[in-house]
Amino acid sequence: MLGREPGRVPEVLRFAQSLVACRSIEELERAFVAGFPRVFDVPIFGFNVCDPATLCREYVVAPSVSDVFVARYNHELWDVDPLRSSANAHRRTVYNLDLMPHEEWRESWAYRRVYALHSMQHVVEAPMIGATGIVGNLHVATSVPEHGFGPSELELTEALGGVVAVAIENIRSRDALDRERNDLLDALDMTGTATVISDPRSTDLRLNDVARQLLAELVDAEAQLHALLVRPTGDPNGGFSRRHEVELRNGERAILHAHSRPAREQTGTLVTVLELHREAP
């Protein structure tokens, strides 16, 4: 049987951690292609991403097959593949030889039209199920007739499909949050409000143009800003306001006010409005 023994848990854990840390589908593809062979010794592997509401295809990762295979599968087999259809309908991992005998598999239209391009004798298809539904499918295959898949390989395929699903939903959540941030910054830009957005998961602050212009007037602006953004103890999800006396680049003194409110408690995103009050001459 193909596949590595379940005792190699540390490798699987490192692989899973590398996937869920990805911030884009392209980064996820690179991590998946690089790490999958270290946890599952199988010659053909890949996954696709779909819209959980419509199951329409959005992205395909297929490092082990030809372009013709991908094109035929996407255009001719996507909606009628017996493996994918069964896996999604029953929300469980499916092995082709559990669906039909080997002879029937080789005579099927799906095999003759698509899978035969790489002589796939054994194929496992796992639905990637997340909180929003089925977000894609993970698949492994081999062309060696005597090397089938056992229960441990099916379990590993299903488990890895679950990890990829979590990674995809994390990326989609970040993308949605980024769009929301950009919309908020654009809206506040139009009102002339200096706005800073911070997030515990992001290594950089997001400032609109008005905030950049305001901070450009300050001496040691970055340190002043970060001091104002320290969350208070006791209620990390509550709003707060602070003010610091600051020095301007022209030598004058001013008071920098920061009014911070959580955008969404569950994400930890903080929206801060800045005001600069110049001292009277």
Side-chain angles (χ1 to χ4, degrees), residues 6-273:
R8 309 195 78 160
V9 172
E11 288 184 9
V12 176
L13 179 58
R14 283 192 291 270
F15 180 52
Q17 289 173 328
S18 73
L19 297 183
V20 298
C22 293
R23 301 187 66 85
S24 70
I25 292 294
E26 294 77 13
E27 185 181 348
L28 177 62
E29 176 179 6
R30 292 191 293 270
F32 179 86
V33 172
F36 195 90
R38 294 197 290 267
V39 301
F40 206 142
D41 186 14
V42 63
I44 302 172
F45 59 92
F47 70 88
N48 58 64
V49 180
C50 67
D51 183 326
T54 64
L55 297 185
C56 289
R57 181 180 61 257
E58 294 184 342
Y59 199 85
V60 175
V61 175
S64 315
V65 296
S66 68
D67 291 345
V68 171
F69 180 97
V70 173
R72 286 191 186 181
Y73 188 94
N74 288 345
H75 297 295
E76 300 179 25
L77 196 58
W78 176 266
D79 292 321
V80 296
D81 181 9
L83 298 180
R84 180 174 174 274
S85 297
S86 179
N88 289 350
H90 297 96
R91 300 172 74 88
R92 63 176 178 82
T93 300
V94 172
Y95 180 22
N96 67 321
L97 297 191
D98 286 338
L99 285 183
M100 62 189 78
H102 187 255
E103 295 77 14
E104 185 178 341
W105 169 249
R106 289 181 58 86
E107 293 172 0
S108 69
W109 181 85
Y111 177 82
R112 289 185 289 107
R113 182 59 182 163
V114 180
Y115 288 105
L117 290 173
H118 290 281
S119 302
M120 296 185 190
Q121 308 301 310
H122 302 275
V123 185
V124 174
E125 186 89 7
M128 303 192 309
I129 304 174
T132 58
I134 295 174
V135 298
N137 295 80
L138 187 147
H139 28 263
V140 297
T142 175
S143 60
V144 183
E146 61 270 22
H147 287 171
F149 295 106
S152 62
E153 283 79 20
L154 270 64
E155 291 175 5
L156 181 57
T157 305
E158 184 166 314
L160 293 176
V163 173
V164 178
V166 170
I168 290 169
E169 291 198 318
N170 285 347
I171 291 167
R172 285 175 168 166
S173 177
R174 290 188 187 105
D175 288 345
L177 185 58
D178 284 342
R179 288 193 296 271
E180 182 179 313
R181 288 172 178 165
N182 290 336
D183 289 345
L184 179 59
L185 286 173
D186 288 344
L188 292 171
D189 257 342
M190 295 175 65
T191 67
T193 304
T195 308
V196 179
I197 295 180
S198 61
D199 189 298
R201 299 173 299 180
S202 177
T203 58
D204 295 298
L205 298 174
R206 299 285 297 275
L207 290 76
N208 66 358
D209 289 339
V210 184
R212 291 191 189 93
Q213 293 168 10
L214 184 154
L215 293 172
E217 297 186 55
L218 308 187
V219 174
D220 201 14
E222 185 175 30
Q224 296 285 358
L225 177 58
H226 282 278
L228 291 169
L229 296 178
V230 175
R231 297 173 189 251
T233 58
D235 184 12
N237 290 322
F240 59 95
S241 296
R242 287 197 177 94
R243 64 178 186 173
H244 280 180
E245 184 177 359
V246 296
E247 181 182 354
L248 304 183
R249 292 187 180 276
N250 63 7
E252 296 178 358
R253 309 294 296 182
I255 302 296
L256 180 61
H257 295 258
H259 309 284
S260 301
R261 295 291 182 273
R264 285 186 176 181
E265 292 186 4
Q266 64 268 33
T267 65
T269 300
L270 195 68
V271 179
T272 300
V273 172

